[in-house]
Amino acid sequence: MKLTRRDVLKTAAASSAMVALNSSFPMVEEALAAEPDKWVKAVCRFCGTGCGVMIGVKGGKVVTVKGDPNNHNKGFLCLKGALMPPIVYAKERVTKPYIRKNGQLQPASWDEAMNLVVGKFKIALKEHGPTSIAFYGSGQALTEESYLASKIWKAGFRSNNVEGNPRLCMASAVGGYVTSFGKDEPSGSYEDIDAATCFFIIGSNMSECHPILFKRVASRKQADPNVKVIVVDPRKTNTARIADEHVSFKPGTDLAILNAMAYVIIQEELDNPRFYEKYVNFMTNDKKKVNFKAYQKFLEDYTPEKAEKISGVPAEQIRRIAIMFASASGTVSFWTMGLNQRIRGVWANNLVTNLHLLTGHIGKPGATNFSLTGQPNACGGVRDTGSLCHLLPAGRVIKKASHRAQLEKQWGLKPGTIAPKPGLHTIALWNAFSEAKIKAMFVLCTNPAHSLPNVNMYTEGMKRKDNFMVLSEPFMDAETVKYCDVLLPPAFWCEKRGVYGCSERRYSLLMQAVEPMGECKSDIDILLDFARRMGVDSKVIPFKNVDDVWDEWREVSSATPYNFKGMTRARQEKESGLRWPCPTEDHPGTKIRYVRGEDPNIPKDYKNKYWYYGYPDGKAKLWMRPYAPAAEEPDAEYPMVLTTGRVIDHWHTGTMTMKVPELRRSFPKAYVEINEDDASKLGIKNGDNVELETRRDTMVFQAKVSDVCRPGLVFVPWFDANLMINKLTLNAFDKGSKQPEYKICAVRIKKA
Ligand code: MGD
Ligand code: MGD
Ligand code: SF4
């Protein structure tokens, strides 16, 4: 369906509603403005779907955007993707450096700003050592930026305090994949959607958060009426509106539902012993290898009737969805933050994977367990390059001496250079910054003063005089700007060059379309300048530009199963994305991992079909994870559950999407979504002001009364800088992944 700019803008305000209808999904296939002088190939700035875009440039300025017909999105974009140009030229763009003097940010030269930054980092290093400095990055930074920052810190400063917002986002998915397969990242790809006959969507509001992928799911269902969609979410979201089965439950209890599904699958003899007897180890929660019988015994605690008592889901519905999942010819599971942002996030991930290992719905076209990445480069930038406090590039971990030694060799470092102790994970890092134990912090491409949970605690810490924060941020109105000591002006999206890696392991090149505004520099140039001024050995950081960084990263990956040696810049410029592993320049990239004949890491003459090479015996692990309650369950004092999440037309903290009039109009401010029965009991009507109080803070939102939330649950979107729900959320986190539980906390509400 082709739309004119006028059509698109007319539908913008109603875009969320349109998505549910799917047949009239607003897609933008054509240029929206004047015919440009040239088209430049890039990737959408927003979600982990990673749609390819063509940027239209006229007179040296970005004038329009259209979908790249050669990338997986086949020319389609959602509205956020199609409406990016005004963001580049927003009046709030930071175009020169600033230094805070007497509490106010004052314009400064690059030299003045960088000298101050470097002075602070040098003093911290000299007086308090490498553990007193930190880098806090982003799954929206380019791959080269994350790799470079991580190398500067880990190899240049011997500091493992390298973290970023993927800890708030994908850490539990990483934990899930690594514990189940010994290796991170999904094994399937988007083509699986076209072959699946059942979709199991749990804790993901795909229609609003991965719209172009959701369109592919909806089209698949439309094309074949036998295709089933199961949506497991305590809210009846737009995604749920195309479901054959919407499973609504008490938030946090889905672990019991997933175990009960496994119980039913075995009871109905829909399990696949031929697969699991050969390729799966059954593991207890305390890491003991056991047999299938022990698993069956474990599942006795999760009969559908017992799970009904825990979750509120009728036993009969659990039976129905289990049978639907297992008896389909191919089932694809998708999940995102509804599972990851939980103190049992890793376990929840394992339990979805269990269903695939039990039924053999894995490693075949249309059958895969697929965690959707949120940010455009959370996979390619941070997970793969190991830019977190416990990781090293390409799946290596800091704790392992052999992994450190491999990296030291590849990086040409003296043995023992990389510090053996992992750094501080995100919550611990910001706690340490608040206590001024971290003395100097470099924040890049993220807005923590808005996005951290229980955020008042951390903004108090950011106000201290005895810690120092340098922030690279393109927009003056981003919340964290209020707290930084130095503000640097980065080039934005189309003004720089580098790689984004999306959910399906596809790495696509963003080519620079226009010159950076004012005195802006790309984050790569900012980091290279920082390393040089800090005196980092030029043998450790020998790069002149972003392409040099990419070439080293290709080389470093090539000794591992990640291997994207074959993704040369020349190829990336020509092709619209390649999926790793891609070991040679003539390799087409990999659709399905762990399968002989598909995954280049498996020798062609390997005797079995599957090989989970993350574990020495080549078998995946099926974990017995029990249900356990959330960190803060509702009680007599705070009787309801507060959950937070997204709306289709805004991105995270709103610094970008709030600058597009059509998107801002569509959701001008945050609100609280309340179930109609709860509202009537509390005397709340649509549009009333409602006070929400948690153990952290109290805030007032306008009520949106509907059937979306189940009774006992309220939802607040978190994009609004004037109504930051993170003042109310909880910073409890998963012990394994260290990802916070944004999705559940106890709240009491009343009409304000
Ligand atoms: P959320 O709204 O955070 O989005 O994508 P999603 O995870 O799909 O949460 C998803 C769902 O989890 C909600 O519908 C919520 O009701 C449900 N949920 C709450 N509690 C539970 C529970 O106990 N169990 C289950 N199963 N579900 C629960 C997030 C993704 O979106 C991410 S991580 C990023 S970084 C991107 N951000 C983003 C954005 O900001 N805006 C838009 N429009 N798209 C985005 N795409 C990406
Ligand atoms: P963003 O708004 O994406 O949110 O949290 P953040 O990363 O803090 O921030 C990105 C910042 O980078 C913006 O200020 C943007 O203007 C800036 N920026 C854009 N382009 C560039 C660039 O090229 N260079 C530089 N230097 N800066 C740039 C995201 C985080 O939030 C995530 S990923 C998740 S999944 C969490 N989800 C979540 C939730 O579901 N609920 C609640 N309540 N809170 C959440 N917080 C988490
Ligand atoms: Fe951009 Fe995601 Fe929309 Fe694709 S689906 S155009 S990547 S926001």
Side-chain angles (χ1 to χ4, degrees):
M1 171 183 176
K2 286 183 184 177
L3 298 173
T4 63
R5 181 176 178 80
R6 210 156 158 264
D7 294 335
V8 168
L9 300 187
K10 266 201 317 207
T11 58
S15 61
S16 303
M18 302 274 296
V19 173
L21 299 175
N22 126 57
S23 56
S24 45
F25 192 91
M27 291 294 127
V28 184
E29 211 181 5
E30 278 301 311
L32 294 175
E35 192 52 34
D37 304 333
K38 62 173 178 178
W39 290 103
V40 181
K41 191 163 66 73
V43 181
C44 172
R45 175 63 189 72
F46 297 117
C47 84
T49 301
C51 296
V53 300
M54 304 299 292
I55 301 176
V57 179
K58 198 175 177 69
K61 283 189 112 184
V62 173
V63 289
T64 186
V65 166
K66 65 176 177 178
D68 178 353
N70 301 316
N71 212 315
H72 69 80
N73 52 311
K74 307 224 163 41
F76 289 114
L77 297 176
C78 76
L79 281 170
K80 282 192 303 305
L83 295 176
M84 288 186 286
I87 303 170
V88 184
Y89 303 109
K91 63 180 186 329
E92 296 85 355
R93 270 299 293 272
V94 180
T95 54
K96 53 166 109 58
Y98 288 81
I99 291 176
R100 192 172 300 280
K101 288 180 189 158
N102 303 321
Q104 299 296 317
L105 285 174
Q106 311 275 355
S109 70
W110 270 104
D111 266 342
E112 281 170 319
M114 290 309 283
N115 285 342
L116 178 61
V117 172
V118 165
K120 293 287 183 184
F121 274 81
K122 280 190 172 165
I123 292 175
L125 272 173
K126 190 163 161 227
E127 293 180 0
H128 305 280
T131 54
S132 71
I133 62 165
F135 176 81
Y136 187 69
S138 173
Q140 299 162 62
L142 299 169
T143 297
E144 296 88 340
E145 291 163 0
S146 295
Y147 176 80
L148 175 62
S150 186
K151 189 176 182 194
I152 294 173
W153 254 254
K154 289 170 187 166
F157 303 145
R158 302 198 67 226
S159 170
N160 291 332
N161 285 336
V162 175
E163 274 286 298
N165 60 16
R167 182 71 72 184
L168 312 175
C169 182
M170 299 313 297
S172 297
V174 177
Y177 278 125
V178 170
T179 45
S180 294
F181 300 100
K183 291 269 169 244
D184 185 22
E185 298 280 16
S187 53
S189 57
Y190 295 160
E191 274 107 316
D192 284 314
I193 295 174
D194 312 329
T197 52
C198 176
F199 294 96
F200 184 67
I201 303 174
I202 176 164
S204 160
N205 184 6
M206 275 182 94
S207 78
E208 303 209 41
C209 298
H210 296 86
I212 294 295
L213 272 191
F214 183 71
K215 174 191 172 287
R216 201 155 163 175
V217 171
S219 305
R220 173 80 190 108
K221 184 165 169 58
Q222 231 172 12
D224 180 350
N226 297 318
V227 168
K228 300 288 181 220
V229 176
I230 304 164
V231 172
V232 185
D233 192 311
R235 293 167 58 227
K236 200 195 284 174
T237 57
N238 278 326
T239 308
R241 291 180 201 275
I242 68 157
D244 297 277
E245 294 279 351
H246 170 227
V247 183
S248 169
F249 57 97
K250 206 175 128 235
T253 60
D254 36 9
L255 277 78
I257 301 168
L258 291 162
N259 277 328
M261 285 174 71
Y263 177 92
V264 174
I265 288 168
I266 295 168
Q267 197 192 34
E268 296 296 321
E269 298 186 10
L270 292 167
D271 53 335
N272 185 344
R274 220 173 136 190
F275 180 83
Y276 62 69
E277 279 170 7
K278 204 159 171 184
Y279 300 113
V280 176
N281 286 317
F282 292 86
M283 307 296 294
T284 64
N285 206 18
D286 52 359
K287 300 187 183 167
K288 287 194 195 84
K289 201 155 105 181
V290 288
N291 58 18
F292 179 71
K293 277 214 151 27
Y295 178 49
Q296 270 185 302
K297 177 116 196 48
F298 162 81
L299 291 177
E300 279 168 17
D301 283 342
Y302 300 98
T303 62
E305 286 69 24
K306 286 181 187 167
E308 174 174 347
K309 285 210 181 92
I310 299 171
S311 65
V313 179
E316 228 7 79
Q317 189 177 29
I318 298 178
R319 283 204 179 84
R320 277 200 310 273
I321 60 169
I323 292 169
M324 226 178 232
F325 182 108
S327 58
S329 60
T331 297
V332 171
S333 296
F334 287 120
W335 68 96
T336 329
M337 292 307 114
L339 294 192
N340 292 354
Q341 288 176 339
R342 306 263 301 279
I343 59 157
R344 307 289 170 192
V346 175
W347 292 7
N349 272 261
N350 290 144
L351 291 182
V352 176
T353 293
N354 284 1
L355 299 179
H356 288 267
L357 296 176
L358 190 62
T359 54
H361 278 313
I362 190 161
K364 292 181 283 198
T368 195
N369 57 331
F370 202 136
S371 136
L372 293 171
T373 299
Q375 300 182 83
N377 202 25
C379 285
V382 172
R383 286 158 76 170
D384 298 349
T385 66
S387 302
L388 289 173
C389 71
H390 64 298
L391 294 176
L392 289 169
R396 300 181 181 99
V397 292
I398 282 172
K399 268 193 181 156
K400 273 199 184 158
S402 60
H403 287 185
R404 294 197 303 277
Q406 282 164 17
L407 245 287
E408 283 159 354
K409 199 162 164 221
Q410 282 189 313
W411 280 349
L413 305 172
K414 266 205 284 199
T417 303
I418 298 172
K421 195 171 162 210
L424 299 175
H425 61 83
T426 290
I427 295 297
L429 189 69
W430 286 104
N431 285 340
F433 191 67
S434 297
E435 292 161 10
K437 287 181 183 149
I438 296 287
K439 300 286 177 193
M441 175 96 84
F442 203 127
V443 178
L444 185 140
C445 205
T446 176
N447 192 5
H450 182 149
S451 58
L452 288 170
N454 193 2
V455 73
N456 289 336
M457 240 179 95
Y458 301 109
T459 47
E460 275 310 303
M462 290 175 195
K463 288 182 197 155
R464 288 177 74 130
K465 298 271 183 301
D466 50 352
N467 58 21
F468 173 86
M469 188 206 294
V470 50
L471 173 69
S472 170
E473 165 61 54
F475 301 108
M476 205 40 127
D477 55 342
E479 191 67 17
T480 312
V481 170
K482 290 184 187 158
Y483 304 96
C484 67
D485 298 291
V486 170
L487 175 63
L488 302 176
F492 176 69
W493 176 59
C494 54
E495 299 170 339
K496 58 183 182 178
R497 171 181 171 89
V499 165
Y500 269 177
C502 72
S503 290
E504 64 161 354
R505 291 171 283 106
R506 181 187 292 271
Y507 280 39
S508 305
L509 179 66
L510 290 88
M511 288 162 70
Q512 186 178 342
V514 293
E515 287 303 313
M517 281 179 78
E519 296 175 36
C520 295
K521 289 183 186 177
S522 72
D523 285 314
I524 275 282
D525 287 338
I526 294 174
L527 288 166
L528 285 174
D529 184 33
F530 173 68
R532 199 170 47 244
R533 289 175 193 256
M534 286 296 290
V536 176
D537 189 341
S538 62
K539 286 200 216 80
V540 176
I541 304 294
F543 319 112
K544 297 219 162 31
N545 57 39
V546 69
D547 290 354
D548 294 347
V549 182
W550 174 254
D551 278 338
E552 177 176 299
W553 174 217
R554 270 196 315 130
E555 209 53 55
V556 165
S557 73
S558 67
T560 72
Y562 281 67
N563 206 344
F564 26 82
K565 179 96 196 254
M567 295 186 200
T568 59
R569 273 296 201 240
R571 266 189 97 178
Q572 288 185 322
E573 282 179 6
K574 265 202 299 229
E575 295 175 55
S576 286
L578 283 159
R579 285 164 290 195
W580 62 264
C582 177
T584 56
E585 287 183 35
D586 56 0
H587 193 279
T590 301
K591 269 197 255 180
I592 308 184
R593 288 163 86 201
Y594 306 125
V595 179
R596 177 177 27 84
E598 295 277 350
D599 184 334
N601 292 309
I602 303 181
K604 288 212 168 58
D605 57 356
Y606 182 69
K607 64 179 180 357
N608 294 329
K609 175 139 193 224
Y610 303 101
W611 184 16
Y612 295 101
Y613 43 76
Y615 285 116
D617 63 1
K619 291 187 178 188
K621 290 188 167 64
L622 184 151
W623 291 93
M624 302 180 198
R625 304 299 197 192
Y627 160 71
E632 195 184 61
E633 289 281 336
D635 55 19
E637 241 187 311
Y638 296 92
M640 296 183 81
V641 171
L642 164 66
T643 193
T644 63
R646 292 152 171 87
V647 293
I648 186 165
D649 287 332
H650 283 303
W651 179 258
H652 292 172
T653 65
T655 61
M656 294 176 272
T657 44
M658 276 295 204
K659 306 214 164 39
V660 181
E662 295 81 7
L663 299 179
R664 191 178 57 238
R665 267 205 302 277
S666 151
F667 289 95
K669 60 193 262 201
Y671 52 87
V672 57
E673 199 175 77
I674 306 174
N675 177 273
E676 47 214 6
D677 294 343
D678 287 335
S680 101
K681 272 187 219 146
L682 293 163
I684 295 168
K685 287 200 271 326
N686 213 22
D688 281 352
N689 281 336
V690 176
E691 185 184 283
L692 267 64
E693 184 186 349
T694 68
R695 291 189 174 87
R696 272 75 50 201
D697 207 343
T698 305
M699 288 173 78
V700 174
F701 296 87
Q702 236 178 23
K704 218 178 207 182
V705 178
S706 69
D707 66 345
V708 176
C709 277
R710 59 184 271 117
L713 176 69
V714 293
F715 166 83
V716 177
W718 67 280
F719 64 83
D720 190 346
N722 297 315
L723 286 170
M724 289 197 301
I725 190 63
N726 277 333
K727 293 181 178 182
L728 270 64
T729 52
L730 184 67
N731 54 353
F733 54 83
D734 182 300
K735 278 201 184 70
S737 68
K738 316 290 194 275
Q739 180 162 349
E741 188 153 73
Y742 288 103
K743 286 291 176 267
I744 303 172
C745 73
V747 67
R748 62 178 169 226
I749 71 169
K750 62 175 189 217
K751 196 167 156 176

